[in-house]
Amino acid sequence: EISEKDPYALIPVRNGAGWEGEIEAKFLKPVIKSPRELKTIIVRLEDLNHLVFMCHEEKSKLRETNALKYIEWGEKQEFQKRPTCRGREKWYILPKLPNADILFNQFFNERYLFPWNKDHILTDHVYYYLILKKHASVLAFILNTSINFLMVEIYGRTGLGEGALQTYAPEMKPLIVINPENLTEEEIRNIMNKISLFSDYAPQSIFIELGFDPSKPIRLQEPNPLPDRKALDDIVFDALGLTEEERKEVYWAVAELVKNRLEKARSV
C-alpha cells in the first residue's frame, strides 16, 4: 500500500459531491462499495474502485495538510450539520467498524460468492460481516461450495424484483453450515493447502458453474461442473462422504431452485 511506503504521498481523488483534489495517502483507505467489484473468492485490492477518507486526528494536528483543507471544504458545505455527521464527536471521523473476516451478501441472483476478506478491507453496508477467532479461511472455503449455495437457497427469501434472493440476517442464523471445528486436522490441512489454488477463482453464473442450460429442464441434464468448481466442491463432498449420486443431487437441486425463482420473477 502507498500509505505504508509514503504516508504523505498525495493521491488524486474525487468525491461524490464534486470535490476534486489530492489527499495524503495515510488518510485514505480502500473500501468495498459493491458486490459487483468483487470477482474472486479472496478479496483483491486491485478489484476495488473506491477509497474512504479515514482521519482520526484533531484538526489542530493536521496543519498544512490537504486533509485539513478537505475537512474545511466539507464544513463550508455544512456536512457537519447533516444527520449522519452531527451525532459524531468529530463530524468527519467515521466510526471504527469491526474487521470482517468473511463477507455475506444480502442479495443473490445467479452468482454465488462469499469473499474471504483476508486483509480486513473496510466494507460498506452491502454485506453482512462474519467474524471468527480462527479458521476464517476454512469457513470461507466451505461457504463457497455448492452445498452451501443449496442451503442459502432454502433459507433465503424469494419473490423479490428480478428474481433476487434476499438473505435476511435473522433468518440466516439457523443456516446449516459445516463447522470447521468438526473437521479433522487432516481435512483442515487439506483445505488450507488448496486455498492458494483458488485465490484467483472467479465464480460465474451457477448454471455455467454446474454445466446446465437453464432453458432446458435441469433434471434431464447431467451435471458437468467446471473443473475448478468440481475440485472446490469435492473437498467438502469428500469430508461429508457423499456418494456420486448425492453430489449430483446437490447440483440438480441448487440449479433448480435458482432457475425456479428467476422464472417466477419473469412470469409476474
Side-chain angles (χ1 to χ4, degrees):
E1 255 189 67
I2 295 176
S3 61
E4 294 177 358
K5 297 177 181 177
D6 184 358
Y8 290 96
L10 295 176
I11 307 298
V13 290
R14 178 179 60 198
N15 71 12
W19 180 90
E20 289 188 49
E22 296 178 326
I23 296 177
E24 291 80 6
K26 67 175 293 188
F27 301 117
L28 298 171
K29 298 294 181 185
V31 62
I32 301 166
K33 290 284 289 183
S34 167
R36 294 180 182 178
E37 291 180 292
L38 302 187
K39 308 293 191 298
T40 54
I41 288 177
I42 302 177
V43 177
R44 298 184 305 193
L45 196 59
E46 59 265 31
D47 290 333
L48 306 182
N49 302 311
H50 298 87
L51 298 168
V52 65
F53 182 67
M54 288 292 287
C55 176
H56 290 87
E57 297 182 18
E58 299 280 346
K59 287 165 58 176
S60 60
K61 296 181 179 180
L62 296 172
R63 293 192 184 107
E64 299 184 2
T65 66
N66 284 15
L68 178 59
K69 294 176 184 177
Y70 184 58
I71 292 169
E72 291 173 341
W73 172 85
E75 290 173 344
K76 288 179 181 178
Q77 316 307 308
E78 298 189 336
F79 287 169
Q80 71 275 20
K81 296 180 181 180
R82 296 187 179 186
T84 54
C85 298
R86 67 186 179 207
R88 301 172 187 163
E89 185 177 347
K90 295 287 184 295
W91 73 269
Y92 56 87
I93 297 180
L94 291 175
K96 290 187 177 180
L97 298 174
N99 290 328
D101 295 304
I102 303 171
L103 306 177
F104 198 119
N105 204 349
Q106 297 179 31
F107 300 97
F108 294 95
N109 286 298
E110 291 185 20
R111 184 187 75 145
Y112 270 98
L113 176 61
F114 296 83
W116 174 27
N117 193 15
K118 180 181 177 183
D119 297 318
H120 293 142
I121 295 171
L122 296 171
T123 308
D124 206 349
H125 65 279
V126 294
Y127 282 104
Y128 301 124
Y129 291 6
L130 297 185
I131 301 169
L132 294 92
K133 293 182 179 178
K134 61 179 181 177
H135 296 321
S137 58
V138 176
L139 182 59
F141 193 98
I142 291 169
L143 291 176
N144 280 288
T145 60
S146 295
I147 198 163
N148 180 62
F149 304 163
L150 175 59
M151 293 297 106
V152 175
E153 281 289 334
I154 292 170
Y155 280 85
R157 289 186 178 188
T158 59
L160 303 178
E162 299 183 358
L165 181 81
Q166 181 182 15
T167 57
Y168 182 54
E171 295 170 359
M172 289 294 107
K173 287 185 177 180
L175 183 71
I176 299 174
V177 178
I178 298 171
N179 186 348
E181 297 286 333
N182 293 334
L183 297 177
T184 66
E185 289 186 11
E186 182 180 353
E187 289 168 339
I188 289 177
R189 190 162 51 248
N190 185 28
I191 291 175
M192 293 294 292
N193 289 339
K194 294 184 178 180
I195 282 175
S196 61
L197 300 177
F198 296 95
S199 60
D200 292 323
Y201 181 48
Q204 305 176 66
S205 161
I206 195 67
F207 303 114
I208 295 174
E209 292 277 308
L210 303 184
F212 291 120
D213 181 348
S215 67
K216 301 176 182 178
I218 297 297
R219 291 278 167 173
L220 298 183
Q221 302 176 63
E222 189 72 8
N224 185 26
L226 296 175
D228 282 346
R229 164 54 51 200
K230 185 177 187 305
L232 186 67
D233 288 337
D234 279 348
I235 295 172
V236 173
F237 286 162
D238 290 346
L240 292 173
L242 297 190
T243 65
E244 191 60 35
E245 198 61 29
E246 288 170 333
R247 298 174 195 221
K248 290 182 182 180
E249 188 60 44
V250 170
Y251 289 147
W252 281 324
V254 67
E256 280 185 325
L257 286 170
V258 175
K259 179 183 177 181
N260 289 344
R261 66 173 163 82
L262 294 175
E263 287 185 343
K264 184 178 179 181
R266 286 194 288 265
S267 67
V268 175

